[in-house]
Amino acid sequence: MLERYVIHEDEDGTFEILDAKTFEVVERSGLLLQELKWHWVDTVMDVLESLDRHRERPN
């Protein structure tokens, strides 16, 4: 299975979640997933992956 997202650490020590195909910052519900602390990245990645699984198999 190909990864849908990648994590990038910025020079200031914050992280952003990127689309693995386009390497653009992921946007969800109007929020750009950038300038995040590591503990948020870990949680947000779990949510994104769960939403993707639900979208692929809604029932």
Side-chain angles (χ1 to χ4, degrees):
M1 184 169 96
L2 295 175
E3 295 296 320
R4 173 91 196 257
Y5 307 101
V6 293
I7 299 168
H8 177 262
E9 183 175 6
D10 291 322
E11 292 177 7
D12 65 358
T14 62
F15 298 85
E16 54 193 19
I17 300 173
L18 306 175
D19 182 293
K21 292 180 183 176
T22 64
F23 292 101
E24 292 182 5
V25 175
V26 174
E27 179 183 350
R28 289 290 185 270
S29 300
L31 297 173
L32 290 173
L33 301 178
Q34 61 187 14
E35 298 180 8
L36 302 170
K37 302 254 187 239
W38 176 251
H39 67 274
W40 285 111
V41 170
D42 193 33
T43 302
V44 171
M45 286 293 287
D46 290 341
V47 171
L48 289 173
E49 291 168 357
S50 178
L51 289 171
D52 287 346
R53 279 192 303 274
H54 179 71
R55 189 175 329 159
E56 292 170 3
R57 292 177 237 147
N59 293 323

